[in-house]
Amino acid sequence: MPTSAPDAPARHLARPHRPVLVAGTLGELAGPRHGIVELPLRLWWNPHRAFDLDQPTMLAWMYENVLREAVRVDELRSYLHGPTLLRIWPELNLPHGVRAAWEARHPGLRRRVVGAHH
């Protein structure tokens, strides 16, 4: 049975066997802010893969899927927009591992969540 060293860094999972991918900076996330975006089948396994980013529910839904399913940084850069992610972060429904990994790397996200409750 494999074991991990006690000093091994914690590894956050988006879902079983899927490590969370986190962008190095929010500034590198230069994806679209408006309009219709069609996710590739790899990120969204539905025949209807178009998301209207001008509809808040669809915007959040697309971000949740990209944050959970991305395995390459270019996917994060192509579909997410840093200032938009900051703005909608408190409303996103994310697995604990995804939220923890992003907030550990980008503490400003955590402060947004705390500030949203005041």
Side-chain angles (χ1 to χ4, degrees):
M1 181 160 112
T3 60
S4 60
D7 58 349
R11 192 170 109 187
H12 297 288
L13 298 177
R15 57 188 168 89
H17 311 293
R18 168 72 55 88
V20 176
L21 180 66
V22 178
T25 68
L26 295 180
E28 71 188 274
L29 303 177
R33 295 180 289 162
H34 301 286
I36 305 292
V37 173
E38 186 169 326
L39 289 181
L41 190 59
R42 209 205 69 59
L43 291 175
W44 181 240
W45 315 285
N46 189 301
H48 306 288
R49 296 190 312 273
F51 294 82
D52 182 349
L53 301 187
D54 295 314
Q55 294 185 22
T57 302
M58 291 190 89
L59 171 72
W61 199 14
M62 187 190 89
Y63 271 59
E64 291 163 359
N65 282 288
V66 172
L67 289 164
R68 194 173 47 246
E69 300 300 331
V71 294
R72 297 187 313 266
V73 174
D74 67 301
E75 293 172 332
L76 298 173
R77 291 176 182 150
S78 295
Y79 297 107
L80 304 180
H81 177 252
T84 301
L85 180 62
L86 270 170
R87 179 174 55 82
I88 69 171
W89 185 255
E91 292 99 43
L92 295 178
N93 181 14
L94 297 168
H96 173 75
V98 173
R99 189 169 293 281
W102 277 81
E103 290 178 356
R105 176 69 184 205
H106 305 289
L109 293 172
R110 183 172 43 244
R111 286 192 293 273
R112 290 290 292 200
V113 173
V114 170
H117 297 293
H118 292 280

